[in-house]
Structure formats: structure tokens, C-alpha cells
Amino acid sequence: MKFIIEATDGESRAGLVYLKFGIVETPIFMPVGTHGAVKGIDSLELEKIGAQILLSNTFHLWLRPGLATIHQLNGLHTFMNWRRPILTDSGGFQVWSLKDLSQVDEDGVHFRSPINGDRLFLSPEKSMKIQIALGSDIAMTFDECTSWPISHSLAEKSMELSLRWARKSRDSFESDSALFGILQGSMYDDLRLRSLEGLENIGFDGYAIGGLSVGESKEDMFRILRKCMPKMPKKSPRYLMGVGTPEDLLNSVTLGVDMFDCVMPARNARNGYLFTKFGDLKLRNRRFKDDNRPIDETCLCPTCCPSNHGEKKIFYSRSYLHHLQKINEMLGAILATKHNLWFYLNLMREIREAIKQKKFEEFKRNFLLNRSRGV
Ligand SMILES: [Zn+2]
């Protein structure tokens, strides 16, 4: 993996990540295809709306369809017909979400399969093996997540275990793909910095901040980010896991984050919650019943602007989308998903352009102001 920083503006950076399946322009948003599918949108459509890299998940794909099936089809890229890079999460977070169904020891996590109750075991070594078999462009270290609130001593114990697992992940990762280390340490500054130091000593291609967005306040989240970001290696990509709203993305880019993933745009779309430059729009609201305008007049997504028919602008109206939501029609979720993902991907393109022109702060100010005005 190679990472080149093309431009900076303050702490924010525009860069290029060279991976096996292509080049990714940062800052980047990665749509989430946990089970090898981004809900409601297929791989070719994702390419069309400008997705450059997807996130998928070790844990879920290992359980179903299983490695043998994916291996037979030459890896996850071919299996899901996606020709660009893939980042795979290690499974640590998913095992953690099983809570009472899992038991952690020094070597890994024992748990019952949520699908059929089978006894299973996931370890750093096994997670690396699975991610290599999937053909991931960027693999993540196997880590332990913690809930919030948690005491300092328990968070410390967990962070140290994650560091030992990071070492095991590194040592057993026999692949030319990239491997990112994941910072833990909950909301404790000292633990976060120790986690970072430990990961740097091991050495990774990129560094992710994990364990945020687990129930803490926004203030806590940004306090941790402000503490960690200036100390993170400048020459490697920095990835903030599982965050967040458009505002979170902008505020994190200000601090120097390069990569994001979040289920929010696709999940909200399915519930009729749309993001626009002028604030958020809840499609199920009665006031859109007879609203013949597109979701956003300025949006060029396949829902607001499916094709160019000369003078006449073609689009799916708020009224039609409201109707589809009301009757729970699958098409409503599909059209909304395209819009929301396009909105996030386009936001990252605009951020990148603004950084290159050294106008990021101005762009951010205007963007936030417009969003606060409301649809
Ligand atoms: Zn749109």
C-alpha cells in the first residue's frame, strides 16, 4: 500500500491510497456492505454514484455464506461483482455486540453462532486468515471493543489485550494487502495515547480510531479525536470507524481524518430520512404528500436527476417518494438510498476539492450554514 498526500489545508488532507484493486481518493466515505451487500443498491450502481471503496465484514461473511463459497468464486470482489477496493472489519466489533453470548480469553473470543447456535472461536490469527481469504485490500486488526461507560481499570485491561492482539494480527498477516491497527482506550486520554504508541511500535499501514460512537456524548468523541489526531502518524491514512453525520465528517476532516464508514446514510434512507445540502428531510411527513419538487434541486444523484433529457429536468418527486414510503414499497428505499449515498460521496468530493484549493474552512462554514437553514 502506498499513501500520498496531495494537498493540506490546516490539519485536513487530500490524499491518494494505492491499493490492490485501485486508487482511493481521500478524504473518503466507504459505504457499508456488511454481508457483502450494500442494502438496496448493487455494485454497478455503486460504481456509477462514485463509491471508490466498500466496507465489508469478516464475522458475518465467515458465518454466511462461509469461506469455501467465497473462495470458490475467487474472493469477495468477484463474489459481489465489485471491481474496486474493499476494506474488511476484523469481527472484533461484531463479537463484542453479541455481549452475553461471548466469552473473551487471552487467545480470542468463544461464542455461539447467532445463526445456528454452534460453538465458534475467533482469534487474531483466524481473523487475519479470513480477511486474506476474502481478498480484502485493507484488513483490520482483531480488537476488543468496550461499552461506555466503563471504569478506567477495565478499559485499560481491554486496551492492553487489544494491543497484544494487534501484535498477533501483524505477526500472522502473511499478505501483500494493507493492515490497519485499531486504537482503543475508551474515553480515557492516557489510554488512547498508550494504545497509539503501542500500535506505532508494532507498525501498520494505517491507523483507525475504534471504540467511538458506542453511546458516548459528541463532546467526548471529539475530545478523544482532538487528543489523538495530532499524535497520529502523519504519513499514514487515519480512519475514524463508524462515524457519522455530515457535520461529524466535516469536523473530523478538520482534525485530519482521511477515511470514514457509517451505516447512517443507507439506514436512514430506508426509513425515509434524507440528507440534503439544506438540512434533513423526513419523507414520511405529510407536507411532502403533494410536493412536486425533487429531494434537492441542486443534487445530481440518480434519484434527483436520473438522466439528461435536453431542457427538461427529469426527477423523482418528493410526492412520489413520500407515497412509496407510505406504502412501504421497496423502490422507495432503493431511490432514497441512492440519494443519501450520493450525498455523502459527493460531500467527500467537495471536501477534497476545497482542501486542494485551500478553501476548506470556507467550504465548511457555508455547508454548515446551509444545512442549519432547513429544507
Ligand atoms: Zn439526490
Side-chain angles (χ1 to χ4, degrees), residues 275 295-296 299-305 335 338-340 342-343:
F275 295 98
I295 302 162
D296 177 345
C299 180
L300 297 175
C301 85
T303 303
C304 298
C305 191
L335 291 172
K338 283 186 195 174
H339 169 84
N340 269 2
W342 194 92
F343 177 82

Side-chain angles (χ1 to χ4, degrees), residues 106-253:
E106 182 61 33
D107 297 327
V109 188
H110 301 265
F111 62 99
R112 291 260 184 197
S113 160
I115 297 168
N116 57 16
D118 282 358
R119 283 179 189 279
L120 294 167
F121 176 66
L122 197 54
S123 63
E125 293 83 357
K126 195 151 187 176
S127 173
M128 295 310 110
K129 221 169 141 185
I130 299 169
Q131 295 184 75
I132 292 168
L134 291 172
S136 175
D137 295 79
I138 302 178
M140 304 299 297
T141 54
F142 189 67
D143 61 339
E144 190 190 30
C145 258
T146 51
S147 306
W148 179 253
I150 185 175
S151 70
H152 186 277
S153 65
L154 282 178
E156 181 173 30
K157 239 174 98 183
S158 173
M159 181 276 288
E160 283 171 349
L161 178 65
S162 282
L163 268 185
R164 293 194 294 278
W165 285 358
R167 164 62 72 189
K168 288 180 178 176
S169 298
R170 176 81 276 179
D171 289 348
S172 61
F173 191 72
E174 286 167 17
S175 164
D176 54 2
S177 291
L179 179 64
F180 283 18
I182 307 178
L183 256 93
Q184 290 292 349
S186 191
M187 304 307 144
Y188 299 104
D189 295 0
D190 60 323
L191 300 185
R192 285 280 174 180
L193 294 180
R194 269 172 53 199
S195 174
L196 176 57
E197 200 187 321
L199 290 176
E200 277 193 75
N201 286 339
I202 300 168
F204 291 96
D205 300 300
Y207 296 85
I209 302 193
L212 292 179
S213 234
V214 292
E216 77 282 5
S217 67
K218 280 260 149 96
E219 250 166 66
D220 274 337
M221 184 178 99
F222 279 102
R223 176 176 54 76
I224 292 297
L225 271 184
R226 276 194 297 273
K227 198 81 194 170
C228 296
M229 290 308 296
K231 301 235 162 33
M232 285 178 81
K234 288 216 181 315
K235 290 182 178 162
S236 311
R238 302 145 164 184
Y239 163 29
L240 176 57
M241 303 179 83
V243 176
T245 64
E247 284 72 15
D248 292 338
L249 266 51
L250 277 165
N251 290 325
S252 305
V253 167

